[in-house]
Amino acid sequence: MPNPYAAAGVDTAAGDLAVELMKSAVSATHNASVLGGVGGFAGLYDVSFLREYARPLLATSTDGVGTKVAIAQAIDKHDTIGQDLVGMVVDDIVVVGAKPLFMTDYIACGRVVPERIADIVAGIARGCSATGTALVGGETAEHPGLLGPDDYDVAGAATGVVEADRQLGAHLVEDGDVVVAIESSGLHSNGYSLVRHILSTKGVGYADQLPEFGTGVSVGEALLEPTRLYTATLLDLLGSQPGAVHSLSHVTGGGIAANLARVLPVGTSVEVDRATWTPPAVFRVLTDMAGTPIEDTESTWNLGIGMFAVVAASAAESVVAALGAAGLPAWTVGAVSTAQRDLTGFEQGAKGVDGGAVRLVGSYRA
């Protein structure tokens, strides 16, 4: 007997196959705290260990990857988008000093292609394993008529925990603290609507090759460089140098100044010196195509900085060295000041936060 749901465009058998294909990747992220297996109505996570905390604070974050998925769809490459999702979600949790515990994902698509879904989830699982996060649940929803057959979107949410007296934030930042920039892997997952607009305007296709991106690398492949994951290294740093880091900022939507301003207290200011780094080639290529100064994109793209750490001045050198030794190039870009100043041209707070004031000064290093 024909399946009326299949006739309406929803293939439950394909969904079941997708679950089977992703099962081993998901299970690889599980630890002793995860109860049950893949496919339950809800994921279960044993938090008995929280009794060891004096005052445990749960941290939670949710996000997506944005229009970067359009490039993955255009070149039919789906094995990196999952890492992008983990970066956008889990690296927000470490900003408050929290250790991520578990994550769930949601994939909406026009048509379930089991291998494609499995590729996406495998990327999520790899990112979860790299950050010590258990992938305890998820949902794949088929939306024919709402999304095209090859369209999809991804989102996720994660939960972590931090001891109350170890929470990072603006409340710890002091006059004279040093701002350390930590290198990004490229665009990460922000500003892709602008990227796609520039390429479309210039008639550049994702299959095209540009010498700036390297031999044999297409534009699409270069733009899918996955988001760098910071959580594991930052947690190691917080454990090895307690008290050194006062606040962290994940440079995502809103760009450089706005995200740093969010983790500074009211009454403080920072001037970020552009001369301390060279934006990666991808940003130069795109702004050259657009015919705009690279400075005009500072509120859209990270321009080579994926995270900021605001640290005690006495610890700045050791923090930079530790990050570099762990494979995260880092450098100092400025210092926190409580001196009164004219704040013309400064970004003051962002996204509802009455934070500090930040502006970029000087010229980028060639």
Side-chain angles (χ1 to χ4, degrees), residues 68 70-77 79-80 187 192 195 199 204-226 282 285-286 289:
K68 189 173 185 175
I71 298 175
Q73 292 160 17
I75 69 171
D76 196 23
K77 178 176 169 57
D79 58 347
T80 59
L187 284 152
Y192 274 82
V195 171
L199 295 179
V204 176
Y206 298 126
D208 295 346
Q209 294 188 11
L210 299 175
E212 295 88 347
F213 293 157
T215 304
V217 179
S218 71
V219 169
E221 290 169 333
L223 294 175
L224 287 182
E225 177 68 30
V282 64
V285 171
L286 290 168
M289 282 186 190

Side-chain angles (χ1 to χ4, degrees), residues 45 59 90 93-94 98-102 131-134 158-161 231-232 235:
Y45 195 90
V90 174
I93 283 179
V94 77
K99 172 182 171 58
L101 301 177
F102 55 83
T131 58
T133 310
T159 298
V161 63
T231 292
L235 288 174

Side-chain angles (χ1 to χ4, degrees), residues 152-205:
Y152 65 82
D153 197 12
V154 296
T159 298
V161 63
V162 61
E163 186 70 79
D165 63 6
R166 295 184 183 178
Q167 178 190 355
L168 304 181
H171 62 286
L172 298 178
V173 175
E174 300 175 345
D175 184 49
D177 279 358
V178 172
V179 179
V180 173
I182 310 174
E183 186 180 75
S184 74
S185 57
L187 284 152
H188 285 185
S189 298
N190 294 102
Y192 274 82
S193 293
L194 176 58
V195 171
R196 293 165 55 241
H197 173 73
I198 292 171
L199 295 179
S200 175
T201 300
K202 292 299 180 181
V204 176

Side-chain angles (χ1 to χ4, degrees), residues 84-107:
D84 290 307
L85 181 63
V86 175
M88 294 297 287
V89 174
V90 174
D91 280 342
D92 274 2
I93 283 179
V94 77
V95 163
V96 297
K99 172 182 171 58
L101 301 177
F102 55 83
M103 179 171 173
T104 57
D105 65 67
Y106 178 82
I107 304 172

Side-chain angles (χ1 to χ4, degrees), residues 41-350:
F41 283 96
L44 294 173
Y45 195 90
D46 185 349
V47 292
S48 301
F49 66 91
L50 293 182
R51 297 191 188 100
E52 302 168 8
Y53 285 67
R55 186 187 170 202
L57 303 180
L58 294 181
T60 184
S61 175
T62 186
D63 210 336
V65 177
T67 59
K68 189 173 185 175
V69 298
I71 298 175
Q73 292 160 17
I75 69 171
D76 196 23
K77 178 176 169 57
H78 314 281
D79 58 347
T80 59
I81 284 296
Q83 178 169 323
D84 290 307
L85 181 63
V86 175
M88 294 297 287
V89 174
V90 174
D91 280 342
D92 274 2
I93 283 179
V94 77
V95 163
V96 297
K99 172 182 171 58
L101 301 177
F102 55 83
M103 179 171 173
T104 57
D105 65 67
Y106 178 82
I107 304 172
C109 59
R111 172 176 59 108
V112 169
V113 179
E115 295 78 11
R116 180 189 300 157
I117 300 298
D119 276 350
I120 296 168
V121 175
I124 297 172
R126 285 192 298 272
C128 283
S129 293
T131 58
T133 310
L135 185 57
V136 299
E139 173 72 6
T140 300
E142 206 166 17
H143 293 167
L146 181 62
L147 295 170
D150 293 319
D151 294 338
Y152 65 82
D153 197 12
V154 296
T159 298
V161 63
V162 61
E163 186 70 79
D165 63 6
R166 295 184 183 178
Q167 178 190 355
L168 304 181
H171 62 286
L172 298 178
V173 175
E174 300 175 345
D175 184 49
D177 279 358
V178 172
V179 179
V180 173
I182 310 174
E183 186 180 75
S184 74
S185 57
L187 284 152
H188 285 185
S189 298
N190 294 102
Y192 274 82
S193 293
L194 176 58
V195 171
R196 293 165 55 241
H197 173 73
I198 292 171
L199 295 179
S200 175
T201 300
K202 292 299 180 181
V204 176
Y206 298 126
D208 295 346
Q209 294 188 11
L210 299 175
E212 295 88 347
F213 293 157
T215 304
V217 179
S218 71
V219 169
E221 290 169 333
L223 294 175
L224 287 182
E225 177 68 30
T227 303
R228 175 166 276 164
L229 302 176
Y230 300 96
T231 292
T233 299
L234 289 173
L235 288 174
D236 286 345
L237 176 66
L238 296 178
S240 63
Q241 298 191 40
V245 179
H246 292 164
S247 69
L248 292 168
S249 172
H250 193 192
V251 182
T252 57
I256 297 171
N259 280 294
L260 179 56
R262 295 167 68 186
V263 299
L264 301 174
V266 174
T268 63
S269 63
V270 172
E271 291 188 321
V272 173
D273 185 1
R274 297 185 182 102
T276 59
W277 84 98
T278 303
V282 64
F283 300 108
R284 295 284 189 185
V285 171
L286 290 168
T287 51
D288 285 349
M289 282 186 190
T292 58
I294 196 168
E295 291 81 3
D296 287 358
T297 65
E298 289 168 347
S299 62
T300 303
W301 295 331
N302 67 63
L303 297 183
I305 298 175
M307 277 270 185
F308 284 113
V310 183
V311 306
S314 60
E317 186 174 337
S318 63
V319 165
V320 169
L323 291 169
L328 291 180
W331 63 97
T332 61
V333 296
V336 176
S337 173
T338 56
Q340 289 190 342
R341 68 196 318 166
D342 179 4
L343 296 180
T344 302
F346 282 77
E347 184 84 28
Q348 299 182 62

